[in-house]
Amino acid sequence: MPNIVVVGAGVSGLTSAYLLSKESANTITVVAKHMPGDYDIEYASPWAGANVLPMATKPSSRWERQTWPELKRLAEEVPETGIHKMKSRVYRREKDLQKLRGGEYAFDGLFKEDPWYKTLFEDFRELSKDELPRGVASGAEFTSVCINTMLYLPWLAFSSTSPRPPHGVTRGGSKKAKVDLVINTTGLMASRLGGVADQDVVPVRGQVVVVRNEAPYMVTKSGTDDAEGDVFYIMTRAAGGGTILGGTYQKGQWESQADPNTALRIMKRAVEMVPELADGKGVQGLDVVRHGVGLRPYRNGGVRLEKEKIGGTWVVHNYGHAGWGYQGSYGCAERVVELVDEALNQPKL
Ligand code: FAD
């Protein structure tokens, strides 16, 4: 029985453990400094909205394509995961479209006109001109999902619906059994992990405001003029998880505390774009639950999904998912399973 240790209990580690646990021969232990229920700046997963808004630039991208059907199934069939379906709007500003056409725009996969993902969502449609708010050149609408991460992460870890939940979930590494393979899902901290210390991994800081108000739909816009690194999105979590107002996308910033000026800009943008959110009462009509900051584990060169032998032991890396860790989670974890099979079935030299 292969003894597999997953280091990390974010969405990448837990989804990897969940899929690996379906193979009855595997013995799996998840070891992590932070666990579902914790809020920490070194732990990105609880801070995510999280929803599915495809960002991949290539239509052939496997990670998001293979994840969507499973998240949709969970939303439809397993309500205890804290995932629900919600209409989603993507707004494109003319100035961002121009940058996009010129190839100098970071989020081109999501805001592209005629995007590859139009065939992923059954009800994808372009919005008509009279459905667009002021300042928006074009837009699209489709049904996506929003994940209440505080329900979904524990569900992944302890799910009774999984054929066999991971054998152990622990904060320390106390077990003395021989380890056959390690899965490295340490996210941003892969930049400091001994034996890995990947200097291509950097934080992309995301500040959010969580409010009790409910949004009529999820929405994101291709840019804002407010401040460098400011972005705009709104999503309402399932099961009373509040509405997330975003946000920022600040590369290289580690600051863990919320900035009050940024928070005010986030709230103003939200009520301007979706006045119904606060019954037309503006920022005063928002009922704030908390302010939050999470660090997206960005990796120059993209996600690291490969196997490597370190000190005689196989390690399968699965880190560096930036802002798409949930929406790519099943596609990436399926690749982890393949890499584990390759590593463990490889004949000894
Ligand atoms: P993490 O969640 O950071 O987990 C890392 C784990 O490794 C933790 O358990 C940590 O304790 C452990 N660890 C690290 N080092 C060690 C060590 N040395 N020893 C033991 N344990 C260690 N994604 C989406 O798909 N959709 C969204 O809408 C979305 N919105 C986001 C909004 C914000 C504000 C932010 C911040 C992120 C958002 N993301 C979204 C991105 C998503 O949250 C991340 O891509 C994802 O959470 C990364 O998960 P992970 O498991 O790789 O890393």
Side-chain angles (χ1 to χ4, degrees):
M1 279 180 105
N3 193 10
I4 300 172
V5 171
V6 179
V7 184
V11 68
S12 308
L14 295 175
T15 314
S16 301
Y18 177 59
L19 292 194
L20 285 165
S21 74
K22 291 181 186 249
E23 174 52 64
S24 60
N26 294 333
T27 299
I28 295 146
T29 307
V30 178
V31 181
K33 186 171 169 191
H34 305 100
M35 288 289 176
D38 292 340
Y39 273 106
D40 193 276
I41 199 64
E42 293 180 4
Y43 188 25
S45 293
W47 301 106
N51 66 4
V52 174
L53 291 176
M55 293 174 194
T57 48
K58 294 194 191 94
S60 55
S61 166
R62 170 180 174 186
W63 318 134
E64 290 176 335
R65 248 184 209 288
Q66 288 187 209
T67 301
W68 170 245
E70 184 57 11
L71 291 180
K72 180 169 169 273
R73 186 189 74 78
L74 293 175
E76 288 168 349
E77 297 174 15
V78 195
E80 58 272 29
T81 53
I83 304 178
H84 69 169
K85 295 212 275 186
M86 208 177 173
K87 281 270 189 236
S88 186
R89 286 183 164 211
V90 173
Y91 291 147
R92 314 174 190 109
R93 300 189 309 169
E94 186 54 42
K95 60 172 82 170
D96 300 321
L97 286 175
Q98 277 169 19
K99 279 197 228 162
L100 202 154
R101 289 173 200 131
E104 33 157 334
Y105 185 71
F107 306 99
D108 50 355
L110 176 59
F111 294 105
K112 221 170 185 161
E113 293 163 299
D114 196 24
W116 65 266
Y117 60 80
K118 71 178 183 187
T119 54
L120 196 65
F121 301 101
E122 289 151 17
D123 60 349
F124 179 97
R125 70 177 181 100
E126 283 292 318
L127 293 166
S128 61
K129 288 280 175 219
D130 57 359
E131 290 176 288
L132 301 173
R134 206 157 39 89
V136 172
S138 70
E141 187 186 75
F142 49 90
T143 301
S144 179
V145 295
C146 187
I147 303 167
N148 183 340
T149 61
M150 298 320 282
L151 296 178
Y152 184 57
L153 293 171
W155 180 86
L156 265 183
F158 302 111
S159 171
S160 56
T161 60
S162 97
R164 243 168 29 98
H167 283 188
V169 180
T170 160
R171 242 174 237 272
S174 58
K175 285 188 180 169
K176 291 255 164 66
K178 177 184 164 292
V179 174
D180 297 299
L181 191 142
V182 174
I183 315 285
N184 170 23
T185 59
T186 51
L188 180 60
M189 290 300 116
S191 60
R192 297 181 184 170
L193 183 68
V196 177
D198 188 337
Q199 295 312 296
D200 281 326
V201 178
V202 291
V204 175
R205 182 177 180 274
Q207 178 169 334
V208 296
V209 182
V210 185
V211 296
R212 285 190 186 83
N213 311 58
E214 288 195 9
Y217 46 80
M218 301 194 280
V219 57
T220 184
K221 197 166 64 153
S222 57
T224 84
D225 293 323
D226 287 356
E228 177 80 24
D230 273 23
V231 292
F232 169 79
Y233 60 87
I234 297 177
M235 65 184 90
T236 297
R237 285 175 167 178
T243 295
I244 313 288
L245 312 181
T248 63
Y249 194 89
Q250 298 164 306
K251 209 167 163 189
Q253 290 203 23
W254 287 86
E255 177 55 57
S256 64
Q257 299 306 303
D259 170 56
N261 291 322
T262 307
L264 191 56
R265 289 199 303 274
I266 290 173
M267 291 190 281
K268 274 189 177 160
R269 282 198 295 268
V271 294
E272 271 166 32
M273 287 299 291
V274 186
E276 314 92 286
L277 182 67
D279 281 336
K281 295 180 192 141
V283 171
Q284 304 292 333
L286 291 175
D287 189 358
V288 176
V289 180
R290 65 176 171 272
H291 298 270
V293 176
L295 302 180
R296 301 171 181 92
Y298 182 92
R299 183 168 182 268
N300 294 312
V303 66
R304 186 168 184 207
L305 249 171
E306 62 186 8
K307 61 182 196 300
E308 178 189 20
K309 223 167 205 181
I310 302 180
T313 303
W314 277 115
V315 176
V316 171
H317 302 286
N318 180 19
Y319 65 83
H321 304 82
W324 55 272
Y326 283 85
Q327 63 196 38
S329 55
Y330 283 90
C332 291
E334 282 170 15
R335 181 67 190 139
V336 166
V337 173
E338 288 172 6
L339 290 166
V340 167
D341 285 347
E342 281 174 23
L344 294 180
N345 295 326
Q346 202 156 300
K348 289 198 172 55
L349 295 175

